[in-house]
Amino acid sequence: MATERTLSIIKPDATKRNLTGKIVAKFEDAGLRVVASKRIHLSAATAGEFYAEHKARGFYGELVAYMASEPVVVQVLEGENAIAKNREVMGATDPAAAADGTIRKEFALSKGENSVHGSDSPEAAAREISFFFSGLELVG
C-alpha cells in the first residue's frame, strides 16, 4: 500500500451546523491524518475556478453558489491509500445510497448538500491540493 495525500473539503452545510470536529474525527478514526487545514470563505469566482471541470454541467451554477454560501474547511489528509479511504469514509454522493456510518449517511442533508468533497484520483488530488495549499503549508 502507498502513502498518499488527498484533498478534503468540509462543505458549507456541515460548517454551518458546526460538524467540523465530528467529520475530522471520522477521518482520523479511519487512519487518515490531517497534514494541512484551514477554514476559508470561497468567493463565487474562486469556487467557479475550483469546479471549472463541471462548467458545462447543469448543476455548475448551483454548486458554485452553494460552495460560496458559507465558510468551508479545506484540508489535506494523508495515509495508506488515502484517496480510496477518504472516499470510503465519505460514502456515496447521494446520502440515501450511502453506507451506514459514513459521513454522508450521518450528516448530509441531500445529494447537493452532501457535507464533504474528496479527490477522486491521484491527479485530481495533486491539482486540488495545490489549488488551496503551498508546499510550506503541508506539514506531516
Side-chain angles (χ1 to χ4, degrees):
M1 289 195 221
T3 298
E4 294 176 325
R5 287 182 172 169
T6 188
L7 184 80
S8 167
I9 302 176
I10 301 175
K11 293 182 176 182
D13 66 280
T15 62
K16 185 177 183 176
R17 292 179 291 139
N18 204 27
L19 297 173
T20 301
K22 290 178 181 179
I23 291 172
V24 171
K26 285 200 164 282
F27 291 129
E28 291 178 334
D29 289 348
L32 296 169
R33 192 167 96 164
V34 178
V35 297
S37 180
K38 55 188 167 184
R39 183 180 178 94
I40 59 175
H41 198 146
L42 296 172
S43 67
T46 302
E49 184 181 347
F50 181 74
Y51 286 107
E53 67 189 81
H54 299 301
K55 198 167 193 169
R57 301 177 88 174
F59 61 82
Y60 174 76
E62 185 178 329
L63 174 62
V64 168
Y66 162 62
M67 291 301 291
S69 68
E70 297 280 340
V72 298
V73 174
V74 292
Q75 56 190 357
V76 179
L77 305 176
E78 180 181 80
E80 295 296 321
N81 294 315
I83 296 166
K85 177 59 74 177
N86 178 35
R87 297 188 70 75
E88 176 186 323
V89 173
M90 288 190 312
T93 303
D94 182 350
D100 288 342
T102 62
I103 291 168
R104 288 176 172 152
K105 185 67 163 190
E106 290 188 27
F107 303 123
L109 298 174
S110 67
K111 188 174 180 181
E113 292 181 305
N114 61 21
S115 299
V116 285
H117 164 90
S119 305
D120 63 5
S121 68
E123 298 78 20
R127 178 177 39 79
E128 292 177 352
I129 290 168
S130 68
F131 187 89
F132 289 109
F133 295 96
S134 74
L136 292 173
E137 294 175 295
L138 304 172
V139 293

